[in-house]
Amino acid sequence: MQPMDSLIVTNPFLEAVALACERDWRMLFDGLDFSLSPGDMLQVVGPNGSGKTSLLRLLAGLMQPTAGEVRLKGRSLERQRGELARHLLWIGHAAGIKGLLTAEENLTWLCALHRPAGRDEIWQSLASVGLRGFEDVPCHTLSAGQQRRVALARLYLDPAPLWILDEPFTALDKSGVAQLERHLREHCERGGMVVLTTHHHLLDKPDTFRELDLGQRAA
């Protein structure tokens, strides 16, 4: 995994060029242009059905655009999906954890897909999200907020510079929200990048924060 300070490039790290997305024969957005450079935080906002999750999936290489393209460091993402995967941490709207596995087992399995993590690292990450003492507890016995914290513990384990997060504040209590806001800001201040959707109003933001309102960009 490349350290974040090695990601300084002439071109933006990630770029949307004339991006369009059609779902169920309805154009969600068209002609979308923006870029993301080290240190940036971009919040995608808009009404339900405006294409927020679809846009995140396009940026993560999980969908193909109807028109336009996503570029990674100046080159089309279409032939660089493996390169993007090495720099990307994606957490979707669902927690993405298996209920029959413990918190530790879930994180061991998820980390093995990119960068294996040892037990001490995993336990520390769980402590960082307020789950000390829950390492060996099957996740189906945890509350929705605790399950979300298990998923978010990956943010303390994976050094990927680009985090794409779909509604990461779902089910978190007040302290969990404040902690996550702070962690996202600190990630950007270290040169990382965050793209996220959330209905939550962010209070703790980096200076580079900006919004992209898909409600104003409807096709």
Side-chain angles (χ1 to χ4, degrees), residues 4-22:
M4 293 181 199
D5 59 7
S6 69
L7 292 172
I8 300 174
V9 291
T10 302
N11 295 306
F13 182 77
L14 199 67
E15 188 176 11
V17 180
L19 205 60
C21 179
E22 181 183 352

Side-chain angles (χ1 to χ4, degrees), residues 43-114:
Q43 180 181 354
V44 181
V45 300
N48 292 339
S50 60
K52 298 186 296 293
T53 294
S54 294
L55 176 57
L56 264 57
R57 292 179 64 84
L58 287 172
L59 297 179
L62 301 175
M63 286 174 50
Q64 292 279 0
T66 302
E69 65 178 3
V70 177
R71 294 175 183 170
L72 176 64
K73 292 186 278 190
R75 298 172 54 212
S76 176
L77 180 59
E78 186 173 353
R79 298 185 180 181
Q80 297 192 88
R81 297 182 191 280
E83 177 71 9
L84 177 63
R86 288 189 286 273
H87 295 298
L88 171 68
L89 174 58
W90 158 270
I91 299 180
H93 186 271
I97 59 175
K98 297 183 181 296
L100 294 179
L101 300 182
T102 66
E104 179 185 351
E105 289 169 340
N106 267 288
L107 291 174
T108 299
W109 180 78
L110 288 166
C111 289
L113 299 175
H114 297 284

Side-chain angles (χ1 to χ4, degrees), residues 13 26 31 33 57 65 91 95 104 109 117 121 137 190 210 215 219:
F13 182 77
R26 182 171 70 90
D33 295 282
R57 292 179 64 84
I91 299 180
E104 179 185 351
W109 180 78
E121 288 181 281
V137 176
R190 292 191 297 267
R210 67 188 192 274

Side-chain angles (χ1 to χ4, degrees), residues 151-169:
L152 294 173
R154 295 174 61 197
L155 300 177
Y156 293 84
L157 288 167
D158 195 323
L162 174 60
W163 295 351
I164 298 183
L165 313 173
D166 194 3
E167 296 291 347
F169 295 94

Side-chain angles (χ1 to χ4, degrees), residues 148-197:
R148 172 62 58 176
R149 287 173 184 257
V150 173
L152 294 173
R154 295 174 61 197
L155 300 177
Y156 293 84
L157 288 167
D158 195 323
L162 174 60
W163 295 351
I164 298 183
L165 313 173
D166 194 3
E167 296 291 347
F169 295 94
T170 299
L172 292 182
D173 58 20
K174 186 176 180 180
S175 65
V177 166
Q179 179 188 33
L180 179 56
E181 283 193 3
R182 181 172 61 253
H183 192 55
L184 297 181
R185 172 180 55 78
E186 291 172 348
H187 178 66
C188 291
E189 291 173 347
R190 292 191 297 267
M193 293 157 283
V194 175
V195 183
L196 77 161
T197 65

